Amino acid sequence: MEIIDALGKLFRSNSMYIAIGIVATTIAIYGIYIKRLVKDITKKMNFFFRFIVYVFIFAFVVGFMSAQTINFLDGLSGKLSNLHLVLGVISIFALLSLLAKNEKQI
């Protein structure tokens, strides 16, 4: 139980980095689909406008996702016990690893 408590404290103090890891891993897995969608939408635009759309989507949307994930994890870390927090974070990363394996990323 001491290990769970230590991990819970560690996860609570590093929730911002955990959230960034979750968002970055998700984008690494599914970013190619987002890129294809944006490319299909913007293929009739000239280079300058296509570039602006790419920058907007990949900068602001990723920033928004990171901020929302950080807020979500901060809210959870205050409400969950150490055991549930540790199991939740480990489960999220395990799920992301399975999704990466399905997408042949690993």
Side-chain angles (χ1 to χ4, degrees), residues 15-32 34 57-73 89 92-93 96:
S15 63
M16 180 176 68
Y17 300 112
I18 292 169
I20 291 170
I22 291 169
V23 171
T25 305
T26 304
I27 289 173
I29 295 169
Y30 293 110
I32 189 71
I34 298 169
I57 289 187
F58 287 104
F60 294 111
V61 171
V62 170
F64 177 76
M65 285 175 51
S66 297
Q68 294 305 313
T69 306
I70 290 168
N71 289 337
F72 177 72
L73 282 179
V89 170
I92 288 170
F93 279 109
L96 286 173

Side-chain angles (χ1 to χ4, degrees), residues 22-61:
I22 291 169
V23 171
T25 305
T26 304
I27 289 173
I29 295 169
Y30 293 110
I32 189 71
Y33 300 113
I34 298 169
K35 183 182 174 198
R36 284 183 198 156
L37 177 67
V38 171
K39 189 174 183 178
D40 288 343
I41 292 171
T42 61
K43 66 181 163 186
K44 295 181 181 178
M45 295 180 182
N46 67 19
F47 173 77
F48 179 75
F49 290 117
R50 184 182 293 195
F51 177 75
I52 296 298
V53 169
Y54 272 93
V55 168
F56 177 77
I57 289 187
F58 287 104
F60 294 111
V61 171

